[in-house]
Amino acid sequence: MKKRLLFIAIAGLFTSMASAADLYVRENGANGAYATVSAAITAATNGDRIIIKPKNAGAAYIENLTINKSLTFVSETNYQKYKLQGTVVVTPLAGRVITIHNANAGSVTISGATTGGRTTLNVFNSLIGFFDAGQINATANLSGCTIDSETIIAHGKCTGNFLGSLFVTHTEDTSLATDDVEIIANSVNYGITNYQRNYTFKILNNFLPQSSISIWGVKNGSTNEITNNVADTRTNGGGQYGECITINLTTGNTGTISIYNNVLALGGDFLIYNYNSNATVSAFYNMSQTSFVLNNVANQGSNTSGNFTINANNQSVSGANVNAGSPAVEYTDLDLTRNDAGNGGGSNSWSNYWPADGGNRAQINYLNVPRRITTGATLNVSGSGFSK
């Protein structure tokens, strides 16, 4: 009986896979393809893939898109993006999953709340002017993208992007996701801000060449981390006191925030400023060029000052930060040396998400490996990538 049930399950899987179709979009409907992306969306069914051929001379498909099905959008030409001139609006629905690869679009937004489940929007290797998925019961996974202005999410994973600014907004979710908010290895010009109080957050290995990290909300009782980032507020300043990391929680919103292995270049009086005692904040193995001045933050005695150079052109740090992070084995660098403070250090290193040679290799959009492996314990490793 068990063998028969397994056969039925596998047969059902192949039937489901076979039902998905590829729909082509080409300029002027060449070779029997659809002439517009909208026409392909109308003809598609859930699970289909829409393959879009970039127009000649970089011309755009001029249309406003409403995506109201679970679909995947890809380019027909490897390493080339198709251009969309108009808005891209996702209609939310419980269980709807939309994946967009290689788009060049002015804006991508989710239009409203999802009821009875979650909407998931994945955007990879795309150029976007404005992105807003900060809706109730919405998960947004972004990787390898350049988003010029604001990026707004409520939940999801944001890895390996160039962003203008990043806001994790608070939503009153009715169908909670089971995983964290993870912000990893992004270059963000004008700051990372977290307002979300539904989910634990991890802000890891990001590069902020002229801005700061601000925390205005945490999940009650949660343990959160701000690790191996670079925040430089010398040009544009940070919070009220020019701080590199700001924590300011509303009354009744409590949690723990660990801040470690960061490079903090100060443009004001305080490196880390906790405006009230709602959050329990501790700092260790961070590095600055100035004295380590904190407010409402437990200094673990391992924070240091030293000379380092921040290179905004290649998103790197050199100097005293090398081998200056936590010496604990779980924070070891990829080359098995002591953790460097800054975005190049630790297992979530910048180099995981920004390979030196893109070539024909896939780009990692998520990697989860244990920092410590204990004898006799189960080793759980997960990761995913996408073709560039």
Side-chain angles (χ1 to χ4, degrees), residues 20 22 150 242 369 379:
D22 287 342
E150 290 183 344
V369 298
L379 175 60

Side-chain angles (χ1 to χ4, degrees), residues 226-229 245 259-264 285-287 341-342:
I226 301 174
T227 307
N228 281 111
N229 302 281
I245 300 176
I259 301 173
Y260 50 96
N261 302 330
N262 300 283
V263 168
L264 306 175
Y285 291 105
N286 300 286
M287 172 161 281

Side-chain angles (χ1 to χ4, degrees), residues 101-116:
H101 293 259
N102 293 300
N104 181 349
S107 67
V108 176
T109 63
I110 296 179
S111 64
T114 308
T115 59

